[in-house]
Amino acid sequence: MATIKDIANKLGISVSTVSKGLNGASDISEQLRQAVFDTAIELGYMPRQMRTKENQRLCIFIENMDYQTVEQFGYDIILGFKQAAYPANYDVSVVPVTPAFQASEKYDTYMLKNSYVGAFIVGFALKDAWMEQFQTTTIPTTLFDNYVRKNPNVSYIGTDSFEGIDDAIEHLIALGHRKIAMISGSWHSMITEQRRQAYVESMAAHDLEIDEKWMPYGYYVAAAAKPHVMKLLSLGVTAIVCGNDLLASGVLDECQAHGFRVPEDVSIVGFDDIPVSARLEPPLTTVRQERLELGKCGFYTLHSAINHVSVCKNLLRPQLIVRNSTGPVKTSDITRGEPFLC
Amino acid sequence: MATIKDIANKLGISVSTVSKGLNGASDISEQLRQAVFDTAIELGYMPRQMRTKENQRLCIFIENMDYQTVEQFGYDIILGFKQAAYPANYDVSVVPVTPAFQASEKYDTYMLKNSYVGAFIVGFALKDAWMEQFQTTTIPTTLFDNYVRKNPNVSYIGTDSFEGIDDAIEHLIALGHRKIAMISGSWHSMITEQRRQAYVESMAAHDLEIDEKWMPYGYYVAAAAKPHVMKLLSLGVTAIVCGNDLLASGVLDECQAHGFRVPEDVSIVGFDDIPVSARLEPPLTTVRQERLELGKCGFYTLHSAINHVSVCKNLLRPQLIVRNSTGPVKTSDITRGEPFLC
């Protein structure tokens, strides 16, 4: 293990200057402080607090996701992480971040300054500054719904989209549906592409027709469904799988606004099972992500990495929750109460 | 939690008869004993020993894999599992099994009889009797290199074949190879199909030609390479990726027996990095599976399942180990020292 003296030797400065750099003293330049941190990281130096086994510190960095109330997506993820971490004697901090925050300080530097031995990263976008740094970080780091290739210190956890989407499509097939569309979430999201790919693979595995026109991109909000729903129905689609529950609620609104009954005329499946989904009218059939389990899985995977087990991806089982937004396909030719608007 | 009385009521027999069944007394019929166990499992009954948190018992069932000496593939897997399990206060048994053993007793029954709270399953074949029972077991079960759909109690761990094979192919491309073949392992193996699929995806992702004739099946032993090597070379292949290291050693033997130099005439990549691979002449370039980490990962995943976190798949990072069996493709047209024999 590297010492402060090793850092001093490498930089050709005194031990006391290194110590000042690591401890945030104000009488050295910001440039020199960064050099001290960069060298400490390169040599694998760990402050004493990071070397003791009791009460090691972990950090959850969260962005683009609400987590303050139990109804919000991030709440149970953070709770689950803490529930698994505390019995193993870790302290857990939760730090909300912004792109500006990421631009202001390097990830490894921030971790070392705060004596965090590992981090769980939730809700980051592909273009975030730290995402690039995760490709080379030397600190155990677990990403929720993001994947970095090759770095043995970084792992990806999430829910298995392939099994989840396949469950949804098998359910629709059992109800007689064949023309099944998918409205995806945002471009430039790993999860969007994964669920889209899962849809294509599942449709192919069941010998169903795949048509690019049945696979529009939306965004992970209800309003994003609006431009697509009537167009899909005019193409003869009888069921729509959605990238998440918010999109599905938008599909439901749009169908009902045009006089289509759900599920009698159109079946709808969501993804996530956020709390509100059970209270929609009709209640939403959806692929459930167990958020409490995701949080625990985040901890177990990070704990593995801290113990030198380089997990690449750790995926939870999804669970199809069948409610009333899906039903048997109409046996007659589809007749609708209103002319098409598109 | 179900009690002995619940089992007695459900079967319409006395508590003492249930107790006899659970404790292996000789004065009840084998048929009744099985009914007692089946009902105990159905109702979720756990003997006292399984309910206490200290020294819970785990079992590693192992088949088709040697593990007695440090050179053998299974040795580090079992060691890694124990290294991770003991600090968490679990007892670990290792039970070698055969198809006959599996036919003689149901998996859930065996687990309950022996008060095991979870199992790690190593080396099982798809046709094994217990593999079907894993689809419905209610006991936390982690499979090495086998995958069961949908059952939330069962998880799959292994090494990410896609990243590993892609690393191998990128390495060969950087050396100038374009006509890259793959000799796969045995039919009817999940891992064989996964690595084959990884090869196809990686070749496609790099815009390389894919030809069914370049993708023969072998078996996971050296001799299985023999029928394929000269045929592949006659098709103009300059590099061969193998389903495992034993196959790769067979390719090496066959090349050298026919006067082809490795890597000057042919490049060879293995998978696994078994200990002998570094001592081949030339030493083998291969995709390393960290066996000690696989064992630890098996424990962490099983521990997750025992704590009600339903892991679907947990995959480790592979690591490409570059040795001397791979080299730059010949720039001249390939000229060889011996006429083709096939």
Side-chain angles (χ1 to χ4, degrees):
Chain A
M1 170 111 32
T3 63
I4 289 187
K5 195 155 185 342
D6 296 328
I7 301 170
N9 288 343
K10 171 110 188 191
L11 286 171
I13 59 178
S14 71
V15 166
S16 68
T17 307
V18 172
S19 185
K20 281 181 185 175
L22 292 172
N23 294 313
S26 57
D27 58 344
I28 70 167
S29 72
E30 193 48 47
Q31 194 182 0
L32 183 54
R33 190 198 318 283
Q34 187 63 53
V36 167
F37 275 111
D38 286 350
T39 307
I41 290 160
E42 183 187 347
L43 298 177
Y45 170 78
M46 292 171 86
R48 181 166 301 131
Q49 193 185 347
M50 291 170 73
R51 295 197 301 264
T52 60
K53 278 288 171 197
E54 289 301 300
N55 294 107
Q56 289 188 311
R57 302 185 70 201
L58 302 178
C59 189
I60 304 175
F61 294 102
I62 187 162
E63 189 186 27
N64 303 317
M65 192 185 292
D66 294 320
Y67 63 93
Q68 283 82 359
T69 71
V70 69
E71 289 276 298
Q72 293 174 327
F73 195 83
Y75 186 90
D76 276 349
I77 294 177
I78 287 175
L79 179 62
F81 188 96
K82 288 179 174 176
Q83 285 178 344
Y86 289 150
N89 291 318
Y90 286 93
D91 284 337
V92 178
S93 308
V94 179
V95 176
V97 293
T98 59
F101 176 84
Q102 293 178 51
S104 73
E105 183 138 58
K106 285 188 191 171
Y107 171 66
D108 282 7
T109 306
Y110 187 87
M111 294 293 284
L112 194 60
K113 272 187 183 170
N114 290 282
S115 299
Y116 292 128
V117 298
F120 184 42
I121 309 293
V122 179
F124 277 40
L126 289 178
K127 63 183 188 310
D128 278 339
W130 282 8
M131 283 296 294
E132 186 164 341
Q133 297 174 29
F134 295 149
Q135 295 182 11
T136 52
T137 183
T138 57
I139 295 167
T141 304
T142 296
L143 314 178
F144 171 58
D145 274 0
N146 270 308
Y147 173 62
V148 164
R149 269 204 66 177
K150 297 198 178 183
N151 186 344
N153 304 302
V154 178
S155 41
Y156 147 48
I157 73 124
T159 300
D160 190 333
S161 295
F162 291 92
E163 201 165 308
I165 296 287
D166 195 49
D167 287 350
I169 287 177
E170 281 190 355
H171 165 65
L172 291 168
I173 290 171
L175 291 168
H177 296 275
R178 295 295 177 270
K179 295 194 167 184
I180 303 169
M182 177 165 199
I183 303 181
S184 294
S186 325
W187 278 83
H188 300 303
S189 146
M190 188 200 76
I191 280 304
T192 296
E193 290 311 320
Q194 192 183 82
R195 291 182 191 160
R196 220 170 126 83
Q197 180 66 24
Y199 163 81
V200 170
E201 287 187 19
S202 176
M203 292 289 279
H206 293 97
D207 291 324
L208 294 186
E209 188 185 346
I210 299 168
D211 186 329
E212 280 285 333
K213 291 197 288 293
W214 298 356
M215 302 166 56
Y217 282 94
Y219 194 76
Y220 286 121
V221 296
K226 201 173 167 64
H228 305 297
V229 177
M230 287 305 109
K231 204 175 286 178
L232 290 172
L233 297 185
S234 75
L235 295 169
V237 159
T238 64
I240 302 176
V241 177
C242 300
N244 78 353
D245 287 354
L246 292 176
L247 262 174
S249 73
V251 173
L252 182 60
D253 286 346
E254 186 70 3
C255 286
Q256 292 173 338
H258 290 85
F260 291 92
R261 295 164 302 162
V262 176
E264 292 82 355
D265 300 322
V266 188
S267 285
I268 303 172
V269 183
F271 204 109
D272 284 346
D273 198 24
I274 55 176
V276 74
S277 300
R279 300 195 299 267
L280 294 175
E281 189 49 55
L284 189 67
T285 294
T286 187
V287 179
R288 181 170 171 78
Q289 300 203 62
E290 281 288 348
R291 293 184 296 281
L292 211 56
E293 289 191 24
L294 281 170
K296 290 181 183 177
C297 181
F299 169 73
Y300 289 127
T301 305
L302 186 55
H303 181 66
S304 299
I306 291 167
N307 286 285
H308 311 292
V309 175
S310 298
V311 169
C312 179
K313 45 185 89 137
N314 192 353
L315 301 181
L316 293 183
R317 296 267 177 197
Q319 193 189 349
L320 183 70
I321 307 292
V322 177
R323 300 199 183 99
N324 296 339
S325 68
T326 46
V329 72
K330 275 199 210 177
T331 48
S332 64
D333 282 348
I334 296 164
T335 51
R336 292 179 170 117
E338 201 172 321
F340 289 112
L341 299 183
C342 56
Chain B
M1 170 113 31
T3 64
I4 289 188
K5 193 154 187 342
D6 296 326
I7 302 170
N9 288 344
K10 171 110 188 191
L11 287 170
I13 60 178
S14 71
V15 165
S16 67
T17 306
V18 171
S19 185
K20 280 181 185 176
L22 292 172
N23 294 313
S26 58
D27 57 345
I28 69 167
S29 72
E30 192 47 49
Q31 194 182 3
L32 183 54
R33 190 197 318 283
Q34 187 63 53
V36 167
F37 275 111
D38 286 349
T39 308
I41 290 160
E42 182 187 348
L43 298 178
Y45 170 79
M46 294 173 84
R48 181 166 302 131
Q49 194 183 346
M50 292 170 74
R51 294 197 301 264
T52 60
K53 278 287 173 196
E54 289 300 300
N55 295 108
Q56 289 189 311
R57 302 185 70 200
L58 301 177
C59 189
I60 303 174
F61 294 102
I62 189 163
E63 189 186 28
N64 303 316
M65 192 185 293
D66 294 320
Y67 63 93
Q68 283 83 0
T69 72
V70 69
E71 290 275 297
Q72 293 173 328
F73 194 83
Y75 185 90
D76 276 348
I77 294 178
I78 287 175
L79 179 61
F81 187 96
K82 289 180 173 175
Q83 285 177 345
Y86 290 149
N89 291 317
Y90 286 94
D91 283 336
V92 178
S93 308
V94 179
V95 175
V97 294
T98 59
F101 177 83
Q102 293 178 52
S104 74
E105 183 136 58
K106 285 188 192 171
Y107 171 66
D108 282 7
T109 307
Y110 187 88
M111 294 293 284
L112 193 59
K113 272 188 184 170
N114 290 281
S115 299
Y116 293 127
V117 297
F120 184 42
I121 309 293
V122 180
F124 277 40
L126 289 179
K127 63 184 187 309
D128 277 338
W130 282 8
M131 283 297 293
E132 187 165 338
Q133 296 173 30
F134 295 148
Q135 295 182 11
T136 52
T137 183
T138 57
I139 295 167
T141 304
T142 296
L143 315 178
F144 171 58
D145 274 359
N146 270 309
Y147 174 62
V148 164
R149 268 204 67 176
K150 295 197 180 185
N151 186 343
N153 303 302
V154 178
S155 41
Y156 147 47
I157 73 124
T159 300
D160 189 333
S161 295
F162 292 91
E163 201 165 308
I165 295 287
D166 195 50
D167 287 349
I169 287 177
E170 280 190 356
H171 165 65
L172 291 168
I173 290 171
L175 291 167
H177 297 273
R178 295 294 178 270
K179 295 193 166 185
I180 302 169
M182 177 165 199
I183 303 181
S184 294
S186 325
W187 278 82
H188 299 303
S189 147
M190 188 200 76
I191 280 304
T192 297
E193 291 311 320
Q194 190 182 85
R195 292 183 191 159
R196 220 171 126 81
Q197 181 66 23
Y199 162 81
V200 170
E201 286 187 18
S202 177
M203 293 288 279
H206 293 96
D207 291 324
L208 294 186
E209 190 185 343
I210 299 167
D211 186 329
E212 280 285 334
K213 291 197 289 295
W214 297 357
M215 303 167 53
Y217 283 95
Y219 194 76
Y220 286 120
V221 297
K226 202 174 166 63
H228 305 295
V229 177
M230 289 304 111
K231 203 174 288 177
L232 290 173
L233 297 184
S234 76
L235 295 169
V237 159
T238 64
I240 301 176
V241 177
C242 300
N244 78 353
D245 286 353
L246 292 175
L247 262 174
S249 74
V251 173
L252 182 60
D253 286 347
E254 187 70 3
C255 285
Q256 292 172 339
H258 290 85
F260 290 93
R261 294 163 304 161
V262 175
E264 293 82 355
D265 300 321
V266 188
S267 284
I268 303 173
V269 183
F271 204 109
D272 284 346
D273 198 24
I274 54 176
V276 74
S277 300
R279 300 194 299 269
L280 294 174
E281 190 48 56
L284 189 67
T285 294
T286 187
V287 178
R288 181 169 171 80
Q289 299 204 62
E290 281 288 348
R291 293 183 296 282
L292 211 57
E293 289 191 24
L294 280 170
K296 289 180 183 177
C297 182
F299 168 73
Y300 289 126
T301 304
L302 186 55
H303 181 66
S304 299
I306 291 167
N307 287 285
H308 310 293
V309 175
S310 298
V311 170
C312 179
K313 45 184 89 138
N314 192 352
L315 302 180
L316 293 182
R317 296 267 178 197
Q319 194 188 351
L320 183 70
I321 307 291
V322 176
R323 299 198 184 98
N324 297 337
S325 68
T326 47
V329 71
K330 276 198 209 177
T331 48
S332 64
D333 280 348
I334 297 163
T335 51
R336 292 178 169 118
E338 202 172 319
F340 289 112
L341 298 182
C342 56

